[in-house]
Amino acid sequence: MNKPPLSIAVCGLGTVGRGVLEVLKRNADIIEQRAGRPIRVVTVASRTARPEVDLLGARFTTDLNSVIDDPDIDLVVELIGGETLADDLVRRSLAAGKHVVTANKAIIATHGDQYLEMAAARDLVFGFESAVAGGIPVIGALSRGLSANRINWVTGIINGTSNYILTAMAQSGQDFATALADAQALGYAEADPSFDVGGIDAAHKLTILACLAFGIGMRFEEVYTEGIETLTIDDIEYARQLGYRIKHLGIARQTHAGVELRVHPTLLPEQQLLASVDGVMNAVMINSDAAGDTLYYGAGAGGEPTASAVVADLIDVARGCAPRWWVPEAGPDDAVLIPVADIECACYLNIPSMDKPGVFARAATILSDHDISIEAVIQKEQAVHVDVEQSWVPIVILTHKVRERVMNEAIAELEALPEVVSPIKRIRVEHFV
Ligand code: HSE
């Protein structure tokens, strides 16, 4: 007996919405075979007038209410972006008894606990494979492939725009603004690119990964977040001389004391696999007790890679094998998150100093007074910078592991030295071994 089609509405006709229609059309035969029944697009909704796109025979509307009110629609694909309208569409669709699939990491990271509860209470699917790292099936890896494991840590390059910029700065000496403009022209950046370069987008994605990895709920507000805006080509070059690459990472780690959740530029040893993930590509590495290290690499953005993940969720719903997400038994507030001041990391310090005798000795004494051990130092003649006020040289120091609050005290003392001329740059170092 033929099964009835899964009837869906695609809401939003931006890059991803168009990609979904294109993939559904091009791969219709294998999608139906794998789904066990056709996936029929009943309605396409977009706030702007009907664009030139093949709607696969669907009705077009600019009225989102008509989607929610339509009893023939089983599942709503939310791709309208933004937060307020998208949040409203997700809630009202679930309340109306429809499955929801969305790529909207911002609303998941902030309201996802509520969506999951609403879906669980109604035995509906809330699917979000596409919300983290685009075409990389990392949500499936955490929720299925690794579901037998205790997860020790999850880390990744999860913002393509930042990775594109850092790669362009490192490989072609491009400045920050030009590289960002290129990433925007290629369609990778968020509508507000400060979400990319300021680390917010990566923090949204890390929130979702950590929720699945550690059952801690969506804790976006508590993610320690730094962007890449203050990194310079000099930092990238000094790191290279020390044997490291600078990557913008999301890090979620289970420790005995609780969970660390942080997003920041990171020095990675050049032989670490993530260090060679360049351009706009994303990669996520997961360490778990039974499987050990696993690594997931691919396109983290773009129409068809993201559509690949959206349609995978649709196929799971059509087959009846989509995960009904676990909602943490303890409330999210019960899980302990470790304040960044309590983490332990090796650090790269770039201390801009007047070129006077004794400055390095004084800096080394301050570090030693805080029991901070130095692993390597760079200070080069040719690195002299001349700005309008005074000339200075960077003293670059790599330290051994130190608790963040101790490093904060040492940095405050270093910055109080009369010879230190502007804020000290601190970049955390991770090895993931
Ligand atoms: N703006 C995001 C990035 C794309 O640059 O990775 C989708 O999440």
Side-chain angles (χ1 to χ4, degrees):
M1 197 179 74
N2 285 342
K3 287 190 180 167
L6 176 73
S7 296
I8 70 167
V10 175
C11 301
L13 270 181
T15 316
V16 180
R18 287 164 189 248
V20 166
L21 293 177
E22 179 57 34
V23 171
L24 284 172
K25 177 179 168 181
R26 192 174 69 234
N27 293 344
D29 51 349
I30 56 167
I31 289 171
E32 177 168 343
Q33 189 188 26
R34 292 170 187 172
R37 54 179 167 143
I39 294 175
R40 185 165 63 98
V41 185
V42 175
T43 303
V44 173
S46 169
R47 284 165 295 170
T48 48
R50 177 184 170 147
E52 288 311 309
V53 52
D54 183 348
L55 299 178
L56 312 182
R59 173 181 83 93
F60 179 82
T61 181
T62 53
D63 176 16
L64 290 173
N65 289 326
S66 71
V67 170
I68 295 156
D69 296 340
D70 185 345
D72 290 337
I73 292 172
D74 305 314
L75 182 152
V76 172
V77 183
E78 184 285 301
L79 300 171
I80 58 179
E83 299 201 25
T84 310
L85 265 181
D87 172 58
D88 186 58
L89 178 62
V90 168
R91 288 178 196 274
R92 291 174 61 208
S93 298
L94 290 169
K98 301 179 193 311
H99 305 291
V100 169
V101 168
T102 178
N104 193 323
K105 59 259 168 187
I107 60 168
I108 301 169
T110 43
H111 310 298
D113 293 326
Q114 292 159 31
Y115 304 153
L116 291 168
E117 275 180 29
M118 286 182 76
R122 294 164 178 79
D123 201 22
L124 295 167
V125 175
F126 177 68
F128 50 96
E129 178 63 72
S130 52
V132 179
I136 307 175
V138 66
I139 300 295
L142 275 172
S143 60
R144 291 189 176 158
L146 297 174
S147 57
N149 288 252
R150 285 184 195 283
I151 307 294
N152 298 316
W153 47 259
V154 181
T155 188
I157 295 169
I158 44 180
N159 183 263
T161 300
S162 294
N163 203 36
Y164 183 91
I165 292 171
L166 291 180
T167 305
M169 288 169 75
Q171 293 182 352
S172 37
Q174 219 173 25
D175 66 33
F176 181 88
T178 311
L180 172 58
D182 283 356
Q184 285 176 297
L186 290 165
Y188 299 130
E190 296 301 300
D192 177 353
S194 68
F195 271 43
D196 294 300
V197 299
I200 309 294
D201 178 73
H204 285 146
K205 294 167 182 167
L206 186 74
T207 299
I208 298 168
L209 293 174
C211 173
L212 298 184
F214 306 123
I216 57 172
M218 301 288 177
R219 309 282 290 267
F220 168 67
E221 295 296 337
E222 294 159 90
V223 179
Y224 174 79
T225 305
E226 280 180 20
I228 60 168
E229 308 98 319
T230 62
L231 293 178
T232 64
I233 292 179
D234 285 348
D235 292 318
I236 293 170
E237 175 55 22
Y238 296 140
R240 197 189 59 72
Q241 290 174 22
L242 292 162
Y244 291 83
R245 300 278 180 271
I246 300 182
K247 292 292 177 188
H248 189 244
L249 294 188
I251 301 168
R253 181 184 274 131
Q254 177 79 64
T255 74
H256 293 302
V259 176
E260 296 176 7
L261 282 185
R262 48 197 169 99
V263 166
H264 51 71
T266 309
L267 263 70
L268 280 176
E270 61 195 2
Q271 66 276 16
Q272 222 285 343
L273 286 169
L274 290 175
S276 53
V277 173
D278 285 331
V280 75
M281 301 308 277
N282 282 200
V284 178
M285 198 174 213
I286 301 173
N287 177 270
S288 56
D289 66 344
D293 284 341
T294 53
L295 177 66
Y296 311 84
Y297 170 89
E304 290 214 6
T306 311
S308 158
V310 170
V311 177
D313 277 344
L314 301 180
I315 292 172
D316 279 354
V317 175
R319 286 182 65 84
C321 66
R324 298 321 205 240
W325 300 97
W326 57 89
V327 177
E329 278 182 20
D333 293 338
D334 294 342
V336 175
L337 295 195
I338 301 181
V340 72
D342 287 337
I343 67 164
E344 282 197 356
C345 254
C347 285
Y348 160 105
L349 300 178
N350 184 334
I351 308 170
S353 314
M354 290 180 201
D355 196 8
K356 288 185 178 170
V359 183
F360 177 75
R362 273 193 280 284
T365 301
I366 289 175
L367 293 176
S368 152
D369 287 350
H370 289 84
D371 217 11
I372 299 171
S373 173
I374 294 175
E375 182 176 316
V377 175
I378 302 178
Q379 187 184 351
K380 291 200 168 175
E381 275 308 310
Q382 64 266 35
V384 172
H385 292 244
V386 180
D387 58 27
V388 281
E389 299 288 322
Q390 54 212 323
S391 71
W392 51 276
V393 290
I395 299 174
V396 174
I397 295 177
L398 202 61
T399 74
H400 286 286
K401 257 190 178 184
V402 50
R403 192 172 292 275
E404 182 105 348
R405 71 172 77 247
V406 175
M407 181 54 91
N408 292 345
E409 288 165 12
I411 288 176
E413 282 182 36
L414 288 165
E415 286 179 341
L417 288 176
E419 297 89 351
V420 171
V421 294
S422 64
I424 291 170
K425 175 91 51 76
R426 172 240 312 266
I427 308 176
R428 297 168 189 88
V429 181
E430 290 283 351
H431 291 84
F432 298 110
V433 284

